[in-house]
Amino acid sequence: MFNKGRDFMKEHRQPIVCVGGANVDKKLYAKNEIAIKTSNPVSSSTSVGGVARNIAENLGRLGEDVVLLTARGDDADWLEIKKSTEPYVDLSYVFEVTGASTGSYTAVLDPDGDLSCAYADMDIFDSLTMERLKENTDVMKNAKCIIADLNCPAEAVHFLKSFASEHDIPFLLIPVSSPKMGRLPPTLEGVEWLIVNIDESETSLGMNIDDEEAWGASVERWLEKGVQQVIVTGGKDGVMAGKMGEVHHFPSLEAAVTDVTGAGDSFCGAVIHSWLSGGTFEHVIQAGLVNARKTIMSKTTVREDLTETKLKKDREEFFNGTIS
């Protein structure tokens, strides 16, 4: 567990700082085709989640030093999150919001394992204000990079981008849903990576992405806004990724789907780890696709067998055609 004092951290560590959501994921698996306005037979499971938390755990399991900045309630849900997360992530900067409930996310999955609908109780993350974040600049000043999800209020996202730019720290943005795209900063100059899906891109860019040409054009439009490297994910259709002057499509890897929850976050975690390790652009994307594939084959939001060695082996197996 992470229990180093803050003085030690300031002097000796360069952690990845993840800012955003940490919540309990409740999953309902429909046994038959979902019927509206009536009872549906399901099985259920509960695990920990949240975009920033999921990415943080993926990175921690991959051997990175990770700090999570988030808000929590004083309840059983937080104790469950802490138990699962603390072995991999430094939680010493998480703050309690008196009288609030820890965030929760309830997903309804159809018989194929695809998301039918979801319910998010994320009001607690409105307390991730600029003022709160300013109290934690000691750890952020030493960050290897800062990753923010859009559970953070708009002013907090803008502050993090400005802070990262001022201190020459790479800044990465991971949206969480189309309704929260309005929290993006007015300018994206200084954003090192943006990893966004098609729906979120359609919402923010005001365009229809209904074919590969439009998909590629969406990446170019994000790049024109100042982002250095962009990935627009398309679920089973793979990802479209680009940096200035080049855009490429990478197909997804076939998998027996158990549960798609957490696949996007596992993709992000492997992409970021591979990028920080000096991987080529193609290598970075492929690492993300391999980790996402393995995650959707498991019932956990972050796959429990994930290590740096295992991810490297999975990618090598993909190249030689023996991946299972």
Side-chain angles (χ1 to χ4, degrees), residues 17-314:
V17 177
C18 296
V19 188
N23 50 261
V24 169
D25 283 340
K26 302 168 185 179
K27 302 169 191 175
L28 306 178
Y29 305 91
K31 296 181 178 180
N32 306 309
E33 183 177 351
I34 295 173
I36 305 302
K37 296 184 178 181
T38 189
S39 175
N40 288 268
V42 301
S43 59
S44 63
S45 67
T46 300
S47 62
V48 297
V51 170
R53 195 222 68 87
N54 290 348
I55 294 172
E57 185 183 336
N58 273 276
L59 288 166
R61 286 179 178 271
L62 287 166
E64 300 285 359
D65 181 6
V66 191
V67 168
L68 179 63
L69 281 174
T70 191
R72 68 171 180 89
D74 181 17
D75 50 25
D77 281 351
W78 170 248
L79 294 179
E80 186 65 28
I81 293 170
K82 182 179 180 181
K83 177 182 176 182
S84 298
T85 310
E86 198 168 35
Y88 311 100
V89 180
D90 181 352
L91 302 178
S92 62
Y93 288 84
V94 176
F95 63 90
E96 179 184 335
V97 180
T98 303
S101 299
T102 298
S104 66
Y105 172 84
T106 302
V108 181
L109 305 169
D110 68 22
D112 295 324
D114 292 323
L115 181 67
S116 176
C117 65
Y119 305 93
D121 179 0
M122 305 292 183
D123 289 349
I124 193 171
F125 302 124
D126 291 340
S127 62
L128 283 170
T129 61
M130 178 172 60
E131 288 71 25
R132 282 283 193 179
L133 295 176
K134 284 182 177 179
E135 296 172 3
N136 296 288
T137 54
D138 56 345
V139 70
M140 292 196 293
K141 283 179 181 177
N142 294 326
K144 186 186 296 186
C145 67
I146 296 173
I147 305 165
D149 74 29
L150 292 187
N151 283 308
C152 302
E155 66 163 15
V157 178
H158 180 70
F159 165 74
L160 289 169
K161 186 178 81 72
S162 299
F163 180 89
S165 179
E166 177 184 351
H167 294 277
D168 198 27
I169 300 167
F171 182 60
L172 295 78
L173 267 176
I174 318 291
V176 297
S177 65
S178 294
K180 293 184 178 178
M181 291 303 287
R183 298 183 177 186
L184 285 175
T187 173
L188 298 179
E189 295 286 344
V191 176
E192 180 69 33
W193 280 95
L194 174 70
I195 305 177
V196 63
N197 67 30
I198 285 178
D199 288 343
E200 292 158 352
S201 294
E202 288 182 327
T203 297
S204 192
L205 299 174
M207 63 183 292
N208 292 323
I209 304 174
D210 50 11
D211 57 31
E212 193 164 306
E213 182 178 357
W215 196 2
S218 72
V219 172
E220 292 172 348
R221 289 180 62 176
W222 282 121
L223 292 170
E224 289 168 0
K225 289 179 176 288
V227 184
Q228 295 301 303
Q229 299 172 95
V230 176
I231 302 172
V232 178
T233 63
K236 64 182 180 181
D237 294 322
V239 304
M240 193 73 72
K243 52 187 178 179
M244 197 55 67
E246 58 178 293
V247 176
H248 303 283
H249 175 251
F250 296 82
S252 63
L253 308 182
E254 291 187 9
V257 177
T258 299
D259 183 352
V260 298
T261 308
D265 303 331
S266 67
F267 174 84
C268 293
V271 162
I272 295 164
H273 170 72
S274 181
W275 165 65
L276 290 172
S277 301
T280 65
F281 192 72
E282 182 179 20
H283 182 285
V284 164
I285 305 302
Q286 289 170 342
L289 290 170
V290 167
N291 201 34
R293 177 185 183 272
K294 287 290 188 176
T295 300
I296 66 175
M297 294 171 68
S298 74
K299 275 202 168 186
T300 54
T301 302
V302 179
R303 64 180 179 121
E304 295 177 345
D305 66 341
L306 179 61
T307 64
E308 184 176 24
T309 300
K310 186 69 169 67
L311 181 63
K312 181 180 179 181
K313 182 174 182 287
D314 290 341

